[in-house]
Every structure is written in structure tokens, then in C-alpha cells.
Amino acid sequence: QVQLVESGGGSVQSGGSLRLSCAASGYTSRRNCMGWFRQAPGKEREGVAAIVTNGGSTDYADSVKGRFTISQDNAAMTVYLQMNSLKPEDTAMYYCAADLGIDWWAPCGVSGNYPFWGQGTQVTVSS
């Protein structure tokens, strides 16, 4: 059973930093697409960042480029989202998502389809 468990959310002031973690389990495929998404109240869900676990290519939403960094620890089956220079508009519930066992030619990006989702972790940025 695939499980994705997010952690690391919290409340910070504008300009601060947080690092989110997504601990994954329940699968053995090596080439996976892991993504971070967020959803603020009253807004649509937005893809934030994505990474291929075997290859390391990344994709970011324009709104977070230069501020957020997605990374991975394959041995620990954990994906991270380092968030710097946080803004109040970054306030949202952040979700980890996975598309497992992707082909080498398959795209992995913030607008992809992800079958597996975590429960989310709240990030609140105050001005």
C-alpha cells in the first residue's frame, strides 16, 4: 500500500523559510515522479514543484522559481521542498503526490497526473 506522509509545515513570518518532507513507502519502483502541490482556501490546487527520483530532473511553477527547491533522498525514499523567502501568498495546505514507475520518456512536471496523494501539511506565512 503506497503511503505518502508530509511533515514540516508551520507558521512563519514573511521572508522566512520552511522545509517540507514527504516520506514515501509501499512501492519498489525506482523511476517515479514526485510532486508538491498546494491549495489555499477558495483557490484551485496548484502544482509547485516536481522531481524524477531516478534522474533528478525538476520542474517548478513560475510563482516559486528561485525561492523553492525540490530534492530527494532516494535511500530514505523521501522528497523535500525547501521554501525560502516565503510570502503570505504561499499560505496553503501543501500536498505530496506520486506517479510511480514512469517510463524514461514520460514527462514529470507540475501539471502532470498523480495517482497517489498524502494528507497534506499546513503552511502559514504572516506579513
Side-chain angles (χ1 to χ4, degrees):
Q1 181 180 357
V2 176
Q3 284 192 320
L4 304 174
V5 180
E6 303 96 333
S7 61
S11 297
V12 295
Q13 289 190 330
S14 181
S17 299
L18 284 173
R19 188 175 83 154
L20 306 183
S21 299
C22 172
S25 62
Y27 62 90
T28 58
S29 54
R30 291 187 177 183
R31 186 174 178 85
N32 310 299
C33 180
M34 306 295 292
W36 283 99
F37 290 75
R38 65 187 181 186
Q39 188 166 21
K43 295 188 177 181
E44 292 188 355
R45 187 174 65 196
E46 174 190 19
V48 174
I51 188 168
V52 178
T53 57
N54 187 354
S57 62
T58 58
D59 185 38
Y60 294 93
D62 288 342
S63 58
V64 305
K65 281 181 180 176
R67 301 188 298 122
F68 291 11
T69 302
I70 189 170
S71 62
Q72 59 182 324
D73 181 340
N74 281 337
M77 293 178 69
T78 301
V79 176
Y80 304 97
L81 184 68
Q82 178 67 43
M83 305 186 296
N84 298 328
S85 302
L86 283 162
K87 306 174 181 179
E89 51 263 43
D90 294 317
T91 295
M93 184 71 79
Y94 283 71
Y95 298 91
C96 177
D99 185 11
L100 304 177
I102 62 173
D103 293 309
W104 66 269
W105 46 262
C108 175
V110 297
S111 59
N113 294 316
Y114 293 79
F116 302 99
W117 292 81
Q119 294 299 307
T121 185
Q122 177 68 37
V123 171
T124 303
V125 185
S126 58
S127 57

